[in-house]
Amino acid sequence: MDSSSADVGDQGDQLAARLARFVAHQGGVMGANCLHRFYAVEPEARATIEGKCRKFCEAHPDLLTFDVSRNTCGEIRLPPAVLRESVAEQLRDFLLELGGEIRPSQVSLFWGRSPHAKAIIGKLKIFCEDHPHLLNFKDSPEVAKQRLSAVTPPNQRLKSLLAGVLQSDGRLPLPTGFARSSD
């Protein structure tokens, strides 16, 4: 493989990561017929993906899947592990914005921002136990003493899943035109 084809592969991997992040913000699934929303913020992606969406997803199975079982145009989906990890990262970032810790009853503030996350998280305590590198659930017999908190440093498991794609601060890059409220 010459260096130019390696560059193309790296660019495809980076584009797949950006698309995965975009799909994560759509709740982990997006109809292929809605790619125009992604192209609006990533116009250069059109040349790579348009008309080849299924093949593009199949070339990046760790980040994207393509499913035609529910939508004749097909749906771009995140594999379950990537979706759950993405939601855990979003919840951790949310907690950090609020000072790092909340009462579990306050997680409804997060549902308001990310309504798709509620079904993905399910039982909050179990979800936190599945993501100890990002989240901590302090249990107590007294509900008033229970706490949900963010864990730092940045997630190492997601870094290994998406090696070479994460920014220097350990976060996935947002699609062009999007900004984090803390930036």
Side-chain angles (χ1 to χ4, degrees):
M1 175 187 299
D2 63 27
S3 64
S4 64
S5 60
D7 290 343
V8 169
D10 290 344
Q11 289 172 359
D13 292 345
Q14 291 173 8
L15 180 58
R18 291 194 308 270
L19 178 57
R21 184 65 173 173
F22 189 85
V23 173
H25 283 277
Q26 309 300 310
V29 62
M30 182 176 80
N33 58 342
C34 294
L35 272 168
H36 60 90
R37 295 189 316 226
F38 180 64
Y39 299 148
V41 294
E42 296 274 353
E44 73 285 352
R46 184 181 300 272
T48 304
I49 300 174
E50 191 169 54
K52 304 170 265 194
C53 184
R54 180 183 210 141
K55 285 185 180 187
F56 183 80
C57 292
E58 289 171 351
H60 302 92
D62 291 342
L63 293 173
L64 303 163
T65 62
F66 192 84
D67 180 15
V68 293
S69 65
R70 289 187 227 155
N71 181 332
T72 57
C73 294
E75 293 177 330
I76 303 164
R77 296 180 167 273
L78 297 182
V82 173
L83 180 58
R84 289 179 59 79
E85 196 72 17
S86 174
V87 168
E89 183 184 60
Q90 290 172 38
L91 178 55
R92 183 206 53 195
D93 290 348
F94 176 78
L95 292 169
L96 291 172
E97 288 173 20
L98 296 178
E101 184 176 277
I102 62 172
R103 290 186 312 274
S105 61
Q106 294 173 300
V107 80
S108 61
L109 298 170
F110 180 64
W111 305 147
R113 180 187 284 185
S114 303
H116 68 278
K118 189 172 187 176
I120 295 162
I121 290 175
K123 299 282 185 185
L124 186 58
K125 181 179 176 184
I126 294 169
F127 187 79
C128 292
E129 290 169 354
D130 290 344
H131 299 90
H133 53 288
L134 294 171
L135 304 166
N136 182 36
F137 188 95
K138 252 185 256 175
D139 205 357
S140 172
E142 296 179 48
V143 174
K145 292 185 178 182
Q146 293 178 342
R147 294 289 182 262
L148 173 62
S149 59
V151 174
T152 53
N155 171 11
Q156 295 300 315
R157 250 175 62 201
L158 187 57
K159 280 187 177 183
S160 65
L161 272 175
L162 305 173
V165 175
L166 297 177
Q167 298 172 341
S168 61
D169 66 0
R171 295 198 264 181
L172 284 168
L174 289 174
T176 305
F178 284 80
R180 286 188 170 85
S181 59
S182 62
D183 288 350

